[in-house]
Amino acid sequence: MPPKIRELISQLQNIGFENRGGKGSHRNFTHESGTKITVSGKTGDDAKPYQVIAVKKAIDEVSK
């Protein structure tokens, strides 16, 4: 079962990403290292595979 959008957002916030707002269901997150990522969808929706990959990539970038 795929993770929910709220779970991806929680992972980003736990590692230090800050929600900079967005338009509609889009949320723009930035990290002090300069990494940016946009997550779209309602918080209760299942995350798409490309969203899960993008969040993992952003977390890996910041963790280096």
Side-chain angles (χ1 to χ4, degrees), residues 1-8 11 44-48 51-52:
M1 196 157 129
K4 299 290 184 184
I5 297 292
R6 74 172 75 87
E7 295 170 9
L8 297 182
Q11 290 175 6
D45 290 347
D46 289 338
K48 305 279 193 242
Q51 291 173 313
V52 175

Side-chain angles (χ1 to χ4, degrees), residues 5 9 53 64:
I5 297 292
I9 291 171
I53 292 168
K64 288 182 182 178

Side-chain angles (χ1 to χ4, degrees), residues 4-52:
K4 299 290 184 184
I5 297 292
R6 74 172 75 87
E7 295 170 9
L8 297 182
I9 291 171
S10 177
Q11 290 175 6
L12 289 170
Q13 290 175 333
N14 287 342
I15 201 153
F17 279 85
E18 184 178 331
N19 187 349
R20 304 298 291 166
K23 195 170 190 179
S25 65
H26 290 72
R27 292 162 205 83
N28 299 306
F29 291 89
T30 58
H31 193 268
E32 58 189 23
S33 67
T35 304
K36 297 178 183 179
I37 185 170
T38 300
V39 179
S40 63
K42 296 178 184 175
T43 56
D45 290 347
D46 289 338
K48 305 279 193 242
Y50 73 88
Q51 291 173 313
V52 175

